[in-house]
Amino acid sequence: MAKKPVVLRPFKAPRYSFGKLRVCKRCGQFTALSEERCLHCGRAALVSVEERAVSLAGRRMTVSLLIVALLTAAAVYFAADSLQRALCALGGLALLAALFAAQRKARPAENLRALDELLGRNIAAVKEGLEINRQEAVSVLRENDTLAYEKLREIAVLLRGDRVARQRVALLHGFRLRKDMDLEMEQLLLRDFEPLLAEYIGEVARLRRDLIKDRTLRYVQRYEAQILEMKDGSAILAAVAGAAVRMKRYALLYSGFISRYAHSLPRDRFLRLHQLISAYPHESWNGLDIRVQEIREAKYRWDPDFGQAQP
């Protein structure tokens, strides 16, 4: 199948997952999409959940101040004489000032408490909103698969699990990947074996070795036999092994896996592996060092550049 060249909009994952979540002030519908208007009521009343929590906390504090002000006014009104009225007014003003100062000091904690309450009370509504978002992404798939992927990418910050990840992998399979693209890896890993995911891992291993980390290496090891049965399975596994040799820790942890595909590594990756082992000859390489020496003698014995470090 011919791959489609695409341009994906830049995406920056929020520091906290709820950073993508917004809520409609009119109808209370939650969404993770970057839409201008609420998909439920059509109003331009979407605000971040943090902003909504700040508003709710501020409203609660304002109500507390109003209650104290009303009690002060009542005390002044029902005072027996001028002295009592003056004392009630002064006492009430002092209480208001103290309460206001205390609220200012406690405001950050109150904002967090309001956010926790907002999300805690509306777990079902949040899940419902995210499912509506997912259906919205799927609905535009036929007309614009790039937009569908971008929507699913936004939703995936909050809606974890194989369902969304599998849909994203299927869409990525039809895209022509580039090194300069905002690629992801561990967020797309599934619990079971998926050939399209294995193909994607192989492409990422060639384009962005830095994205191949522990979880991906464990996934590839777990389904190594199934990957080998694929048309380009050996090439995928060799690419992953080549990505793993960028770090000493990975080379040690996955030495057995790397040994099985060391003979298929491109020259620069094998050179990197040889340099790594040479720099740490006393490490327990689990036979990987012996395998590398055998391959070196067979393929690179007379290579004048052999042993130079590769980035």
Side-chain angles (χ1 to χ4, degrees), residues 37 43 47 85 96 109-110 165 203 217 227 264 291:
R37 293 181 173 274
R43 301 287 188 87
V47 295
R85 280 194 290 271
L96 278 171
E110 283 299 310
E203 287 193 71
L217 290 166
I227 295 173
S264 299
R291 179 61 176 149

Side-chain angles (χ1 to χ4, degrees), residues 40-57:
H40 184 259
C41 69
R43 301 287 188 87
L46 291 169
V47 295
S48 70
V49 290
E50 290 176 286
E51 184 179 343
R52 184 61 173 162
V54 168
S55 175
L56 293 173

Side-chain angles (χ1 to χ4, degrees), residues 3 173 195-204 206 230 236:
K3 302 280 187 177
H173 180 67
L196 296 184
L197 176 58
E199 287 185 27
Y200 177 74
I201 291 172
E203 287 193 71
V204 170
R206 287 184 283 270
M230 296 172 58
I236 292 171

Side-chain angles (χ1 to χ4, degrees), residues 277-297:
I277 291 175
S278 299
Y280 301 96
H282 301 300
E283 289 284 0
S284 178
W285 291 103
N286 192 30
L288 178 59
D289 50 345
I290 298 173
R291 179 61 176 149
V292 166
Q293 271 308 114
E294 292 173 350
I295 297 171
R296 179 188 180 279
E297 289 296 317

Side-chain angles (χ1 to χ4, degrees), residues 250-262:
Y250 292 161
L252 285 169
L253 283 174
Y254 305 99
S255 56
F257 171 75
I258 294 170
S259 290
R260 293 193 286 277
Y261 303 99

Side-chain angles (χ1 to χ4, degrees), residues 11-306:
F11 177 77
K12 184 178 180 180
R15 183 179 180 184
Y16 303 107
S17 58
F18 61 77
K20 288 292 297 178
L21 194 62
R22 294 186 297 161
V23 60
C24 179
K25 293 187 294 184
R26 296 288 184 177
C27 68
Q29 182 76 43
F30 287 86
T31 181
L33 298 179
S34 303
E35 307 290 348
E36 293 295 327
R37 293 181 173 274
C38 176
L39 295 174
H40 184 259
C41 69
R43 301 287 188 87
L46 291 169
V47 295
S48 70
V49 290
E50 290 176 286
E51 184 179 343
R52 184 61 173 162
V54 168
S55 175
L56 293 173
R59 187 181 302 174
R60 187 158 53 205
M61 289 181 170
T62 301
V63 169
S64 297
L65 290 171
L66 286 174
I67 290 173
V68 172
L70 287 172
L71 290 174
T72 300
V76 171
Y77 180 79
F78 290 109
D81 52 40
S82 298
L83 179 60
Q84 284 188 3
R85 280 194 290 271
L87 290 174
C88 289
L90 288 173
L93 289 174
L95 184 57
L96 278 171
L99 179 59
F100 181 74
Q103 286 182 345
R104 285 191 61 183
K105 187 176 180 180
R107 189 60 191 265
E110 283 299 310
N111 290 342
L112 286 175
R113 188 164 73 93
L115 178 61
D116 186 58
E117 290 177 357
L118 176 64
L119 296 177
R121 287 198 311 264
N122 295 282
I123 291 177
V126 170
K127 290 180 178 179
E128 180 185 353
L130 293 175
E131 178 57 24
I132 291 173
N133 288 166
R134 191 194 66 80
Q135 293 173 7
E136 166 68 14
V138 173
S139 71
V140 302
L141 197 154
R142 291 185 180 275
E143 293 76 21
N144 191 335
D145 53 359
T146 304
L147 179 60
Y149 175 78
E150 289 174 344
K151 287 179 180 289
L152 288 172
R153 182 177 59 180
E154 289 186 291
I155 299 165
V157 173
L158 284 152
L159 193 61
R160 305 298 176 93
D162 283 8
R163 189 178 188 184
V164 173
R166 199 179 296 276
Q167 290 173 328
R168 295 176 68 202
V169 168
L171 286 168
L172 284 167
H173 180 67
F175 298 160
R176 187 182 301 164
L177 304 182
R178 304 184 311 277
K179 188 174 183 177
D180 64 339
M181 292 175 70
D182 189 13
L183 300 174
E184 297 176 83
M185 188 64 264
E186 296 200 349
Q187 299 88 338
L188 299 171
L189 294 177
L190 305 172
R191 283 188 289 269
D192 55 3
F193 175 65
E194 171 54 61
L196 296 184
L197 176 58
E199 287 185 27
Y200 177 74
I201 291 172
E203 287 193 71
V204 170
R206 287 184 283 270
L207 294 171
R208 290 282 307 276
R209 290 191 290 265
D210 59 299
L211 295 180
I212 304 299
K213 300 177 183 178
D214 277 305
R215 287 187 59 210
T216 306
L217 290 166
R218 290 197 297 269
Y219 180 89
V220 169
Q221 273 197 321
R222 188 185 313 132
Y223 297 111
E224 182 179 349
Q226 291 92 323
I227 295 173
L228 273 175
E229 294 175 358
M230 296 172 58
K231 180 182 177 183
D232 298 315
S234 296
I236 292 171
L237 294 168
V240 173
V245 304
R246 81 181 193 281
M247 290 179 62
K248 173 191 171 185
R249 185 171 72 85
Y250 292 161
L252 285 169
L253 283 174
Y254 305 99
S255 56
F257 171 75
I258 294 170
S259 290
R260 293 193 286 277
Y261 303 99
H263 65 283
S264 299
L265 293 179
R267 178 182 177 277
D268 67 317
R269 303 320 298 157
F270 184 80
L271 206 54
R272 164 65 182 166
L273 177 58
H274 180 271
Q275 187 71 20
L276 191 61
I277 291 175
S278 299
Y280 301 96
H282 301 300
E283 289 284 0
S284 178
W285 291 103
N286 192 30
L288 178 59
D289 50 345
I290 298 173
R291 179 61 176 149
V292 166
Q293 271 308 114
E294 292 173 350
I295 297 171
R296 179 188 180 279
E297 289 296 317
K299 296 177 68 175
Y300 301 105
R301 185 174 184 180
W302 307 110
D303 192 326
D305 297 323
F306 202 81

